[in-house]
Amino acid sequence: LDRPNIVVIMADQLAPHFTGAYGHAVAKTPHIDALAARGMRFAAAYCNSPLCAPSRFAFMSGQLISRIAAYDNASEFRASVPTFAHYLQALGYRTCLSGKMHFVGPDQKHGFQDRVTTDIYPSDFAWTPDWEAADERIDKWYHNMQTVKESGVAVATFQTDYDDEVEFAARRWLIDRGRDRGAGDTAPFCMVASFIHPHDPYVAKPEFWDLYSDDEIDMPEFVPALEDQDPFSRRVMDGIEASYIPLTDEEIRRARRAYLANVSYFDSKVGGVVKALEDIGELDNTIVIVTADHGDMLGERGLWYKMNFFEHSARVPLIMAGPGVAQGRASNACSLLDLVPSFVEIAGGDVSVFGEPVDGRSLMPLARGEDDPEDVAIGEYCAEMTPYPVIMIRRGTLKYIHCDIDPPQLYDLANDPQERLNVAQDPAYAEAAKGFASEVAARWDGEALRRDVMATQKSRRALHAAMAAGSGQHWDYNPPSEASEQYVRNHMDWTEAAARYRFPPVEDSGA
């Protein structure tokens, strides 16, 4: 069975709106655009929770965050939860993670056979929110407007250091697969190359900053007055200081320019990974997926970063290209949950391999250009700056947002793509609003979910206090490295080592 390889190239905090492939007028993303031009572009793909760790745990497991208690950036991703890395490994794939996945807990591989870099963020319970004091700002590790005000240019940051390492490690791992092919190992592989950009801080390398000029940077299209913000948006604005620390147009423009520059920087990493696939002769047998864990409001609606279900925060790019993938655009609503069943289908498996219920469906019919009756995406937010769960249902062109303590929100994205008008009380949408409200009531018990969130927060805060006092062992991942087995050493024949490392190998000319 000739099964294609799977390579996922993941950005952090990349709203699709800021790429050429999704129609931005000045974004310079040639490598992403090239994949979209020969593959399928999903036009209504969503994350399942607009925050790094919860979104990634849903992506890895194919399960909603409420099912696996993946509430926030300090929620443990339990080792007992199967992931697509486990499933693909069982189906005969070699698997690798290069880069960020924000795993929290002692299991820092979650089924990946190889993990070739450390992570960029803590793996412990330090970033646990507190719903018992939901309106108190978290100072030490939380977003604020100073991040926007300090946007600009730098030769290096901790984020560029990290992403340069992630690209190098990913490319080297792929070259090793080429070496394996030369030695007769034809096993398919799945690699996730996961970068931190264009996540804030909005600080760009000069060569990417210089791709843009101030006069071509578009400003936020719709910013409601503070008194017109919905209650949840207002809580988020208070939490990130946006409601009381003003930004100048120049500061907003500089942040958006740096963000676009970092989108182009991420695009260059996409190009580097694709080039490695070309170099080992595997591009034509590899399904390449470009996506992100969530988006970035970047000043739209007066909001920054993520943590809400408006389009710039909750939607993600999803581009798929490779063998069997048609060229086109899929308009059905879908989400990162759907990638687990998609990968299993690509690998020749079926639902019998699943160890736990999977909440998504395979996107391969859409990827092949076929019709798909499913047109829905579900989101849940249970992290900071809300004392109750926030739920999103996107079905067709309608998006419904629910929180027990807030008025409902309903947007008709076909007629109102910028979500300017909440039609939840509009008589013309009364039937739709009633249907969504009934669905939320049937699917979620808000009070029970809130109690569970608060219980996990309390236990994790206690555990973090003990760990900070010296209890236990840190979980941060240290990639294994055995220097005595690398390159040329005294116990090796250097000619054999040179031959093993050389790719493509020298052709045997025969006797």
Side-chain angles (χ1 to χ4, degrees), residues 5-9 174 189-191 273 277 286-290:
N5 311 306
I6 301 167
V7 170
V8 181
I9 310 172
L174 288 170
F189 56 79
C190 171
M191 187 185 75
V273 173
L277 289 168
T286 301
I287 292 181
V288 179
I289 293 118
V290 173

Side-chain angles (χ1 to χ4, degrees), residues 47 127 150 176 348 502 510:
C47 66
W127 293 2
E150 292 176 358
D176 280 345
R502 181 163 173 166

